[in-house]
Amino acid sequence: MLDIRLIRENPDMVREALKKRQSDDAVVDTLAALDEKRREILSKVEKLKAERNTVSKEIGRMKDAESRQEKINAMRAVGDKIKALDDDLRDVDTELTSTMATLPNIPSDATPYGVDESENIVLKTVGEIPEFSFEPKTHWDLGPELDIIDFERGVKISGSRFYVLSGAGARLQRALIAYMLDLHIKQGYVEKYTPFMVKTETVYGAGQLPKFVNNLYKDHEEDLYMVPTAEVPLTGYHMDETFEDSDLPKAYTAYTPCFRREKMSAGRDVRGIKRGHQFDKVEMYMFVKPEESDAAFEQMMADAEETVALLGLPYRIHQLCTGDLGFGATITYDIEVWAAGCNEWLEVSSVSNVTDFQARRANIRYRPEDSKRNKFVHTLNGSGMGLPRVMIAIMENYQQEDGSIIVPEILRPWMGGIEVIK
RNA sequence: GGAGAGGUGCCAGAGUGGUUGAAUGGGGCGGUCUCGAAAACCGUUGUAGUCUUCGGGCUACCGAGGGUUCGAAUCCCUCUCUCUCCGCCA
């Protein structure tokens, strides 16, 4: 959510931002009108309330029954007016906030302009794309051959886009989770194990609602959503709280499964484990003071990069352009790893500075030492990696001619010493 | 799932229709005293919205949302959360 003051005082800046994102900027006028109307009603109703408060106090002190009754009658009329105005106000307010909730965040000046993902910028590429003396296989061939991914059973149990990991495959995923969590802890993040189901307000606070309703699984009986990313419970963790200046920064890491309906991507990436309805992820998340968020962004990016680099996979870093930026993000770097079998770069990590966008929605503030007024914190999130895609890259890049897969050295402590999956 | 009790400021805890944004105690902050500290004493200590001649004014907030009333922390309804007991259970 943006600050309504931006619309009031700097509408051109908001229009500009929307255009950069290739969105319609007509809402800005709608919002400006609603805001004005809201304040107009507000000042009327508050004056009436002030009058009622004063007179009601007088009534409490009055002895003379007749003039007392007169005042009561007068205030009854005022009360009716107040009620009518309050109703109007509520309507305007509802419309205003629900419209505000559809506005994306303002892109950072550091985010390059671009219409769509084709204009994202490759910042750097690290590592060699592996050469094979044989035709490298895809993970959807390797997995069943080694009996570590079972697509048919997954479909049998749960339908399309579900699979079962088996034996060393399941263990490899568990090793990755443990490796990442342990690394992030070393990097200074505090581990959290959160609920995987959250309330509507929590999803809203993280900015996933109302925009992504169609991508979420919901238990309608209980008003609970399955988390689409750990970002949601981690944002909600400090919802409606005010930090002391000295409490910040807070850095968290959490493993969660992620549930996504993928309705919007129907038909895309149906093969293999690249895009399932359920996948595991380890997330990094930070709450920082506004003046520290640029530095925190670079730090989190370095941490994410280290996570990929230590696995020995070839990767490249993309900076997203304004047209491809996520809803709440002002700036985003993606990390992609190379997958030798399907011959493509896979997005495994995405680090964003969300500034005060989620904090405003989730009402997360702090008390600045030098200011009387509480301010919203800045939040940052980084997937310290979508696990299936890391699995894909490991399987496809570390495969050998006989169809076996070398386990990256860094993971072996969690693999019970297994060096090769065969 | 059943029965009961309860949610008040940073914390504890009063308050059952009218100068209560809220007693009292503790904590925090500032000060007096002291070589310094403790103790004691004095003062101060919420958030948000909105208007502003930038001094401040006004409005709202006692779990959430409705209702009754001239007036609600106080009365009524719904929801929610916590605690105790019973049942059930990984």
Side-chain angles (χ1 to χ4, degrees), chain A residues 264-331:
Chain A
M264 287 135 115
S265 328
R268 255 177 86 188
D269 307 319
V270 279
R271 200 105 202 252
I273 62 174
K274 181 176 165 189
R275 190 183 293 273
H277 287 312
Q278 171 188 323
F279 64 95
D280 281 13
K281 187 153 66 71
V282 173
E283 185 84 1
M284 294 177 280
Y285 199 91
M286 290 182 86
F287 299 84
V288 304
K289 295 187 229 177
E291 63 270 24
E292 287 168 359
S293 73
D294 286 341
F297 176 67
E298 295 302 327
Q299 183 57 54
M300 187 178 281
M301 189 56 212
D303 294 336
E305 188 176 348
E306 184 181 17
T307 311
V308 184
L310 288 174
L311 289 169
L313 298 167
Y315 65 93
R316 64 181 193 186
I317 297 177
H318 253 167
Q319 174 163 26
L320 300 196
C321 69
T322 53
D324 196 30
L325 213 53
F327 184 63
T330 61
I331 183 168

Side-chain angles (χ1 to χ4, degrees), chain A residues 84-155:
Chain A
L85 285 171
D86 264 342
D87 286 347
D88 291 350
L89 187 64
R90 197 182 332 164
D91 291 347
V92 173
D93 239 345
T94 309
E95 200 181 340
L96 185 64
T97 39
S98 62
T99 311
M100 281 301 285
T102 64
L103 282 192
N105 204 353
I106 311 271
S108 155
D109 289 338
T111 296
Y113 177 82
V115 173
D116 57 31
E117 59 176 14
S118 67
E119 294 188 63
N120 291 342
I121 293 168
V122 177
L123 294 178
K124 67 171 171 180
T125 304
V126 179
E128 296 296 315
I129 289 180
E131 303 268 343
F132 293 90
S133 56
F134 56 95
E135 187 61 32
K137 293 177 178 170
T138 61
H139 70 282
W140 57 79
D141 287 330
L142 284 166
E145 280 167 28
L146 289 166
D147 198 19
I148 58 174
I149 307 177
D150 188 336
F151 292 104
E152 285 166 30
R153 292 324 198 310
V155 171

Side-chain angles (χ1 to χ4, degrees), chain A residues 225-402:
Chain A
Y225 288 88
M226 310 290 288
V227 297
T229 159
E231 189 188 332
V232 173
L234 287 177
T235 307
Y237 187 79
H238 286 298
M239 190 157 57
D240 293 319
E241 291 182 20
T242 303
F243 292 106
E244 292 306 321
D245 201 279
S246 55
D247 295 335
L248 299 171
K250 292 268 186 217
Y252 299 142
T253 182
Y255 152 77
T256 66
C258 304
F259 302 95
R260 301 187 185 178
R261 298 177 69 176
E262 297 295 350
K263 258 196 165 169
M264 287 135 115
S265 328
R268 255 177 86 188
D269 307 319
V270 279
R271 200 105 202 252
I273 62 174
K274 181 176 165 189
R275 190 183 293 273
H277 287 312
Q278 171 188 323
F279 64 95
D280 281 13
K281 187 153 66 71
V282 173
E283 185 84 1
M284 294 177 280
Y285 199 91
M286 290 182 86
F287 299 84
V288 304
K289 295 187 229 177
E291 63 270 24
E292 287 168 359
S293 73
D294 286 341
F297 176 67
E298 295 302 327
Q299 183 57 54
M300 187 178 281
M301 189 56 212
D303 294 336
E305 188 176 348
E306 184 181 17
T307 311
V308 184
L310 288 174
L311 289 169
L313 298 167
Y315 65 93
R316 64 181 193 186
I317 297 177
H318 253 167
Q319 174 163 26
L320 300 196
C321 69
T322 53
D324 196 30
L325 213 53
F327 184 63
T330 61
I331 183 168
T332 299
Y333 292 161
D334 279 357
I335 302 179
E336 298 179 326
V337 297
W338 177 253
C342 23
N343 247 309
E344 60 173 335
W345 292 97
L346 299 174
E347 181 193 329
V348 292
S349 181
S350 185
V351 177
S352 300
N353 185 354
V354 179
T355 62
D356 60 1
F357 191 80
Q358 288 174 329
R360 186 169 280 113
R361 284 176 170 239
N363 189 27
I364 306 168
R365 298 165 201 261
Y366 77 107
R367 224 180 296 284
E369 244 165 28
D370 52 352
S371 155
K372 280 186 205 139
R373 209 134 181 107
N374 292 345
K375 291 185 183 158
F376 290 108
V377 300
H378 280 194
T379 60
L380 301 101
N381 64 78
S383 25
M385 302 205 281
L387 290 176
R389 295 177 182 186
V390 181
M391 298 267 290
I392 293 173
I394 289 172
M395 288 172 66
E396 296 186 357
N397 292 344
Y398 284 109
Q399 64 178 295
Q400 303 185 92
E401 189 158 15
D402 62 359

Side-chain angles (χ1 to χ4, degrees), chain A residues 177-191 251-253 282 284 299 303 306-307 310 410 413-414:
Chain A
I177 295 166
Y179 151 71
M180 288 182 199
L181 285 171
D182 287 355
L183 177 61
H184 292 329
I185 290 166
K186 238 182 264 170
Q187 290 166 334
Y189 299 80
V190 174
E191 182 178 354
Y252 299 142
T253 182
V282 173
M284 294 177 280
Q299 183 57 54
D303 294 336
E306 184 181 17
T307 311
L310 288 174
I410 192 99
W414 293 277

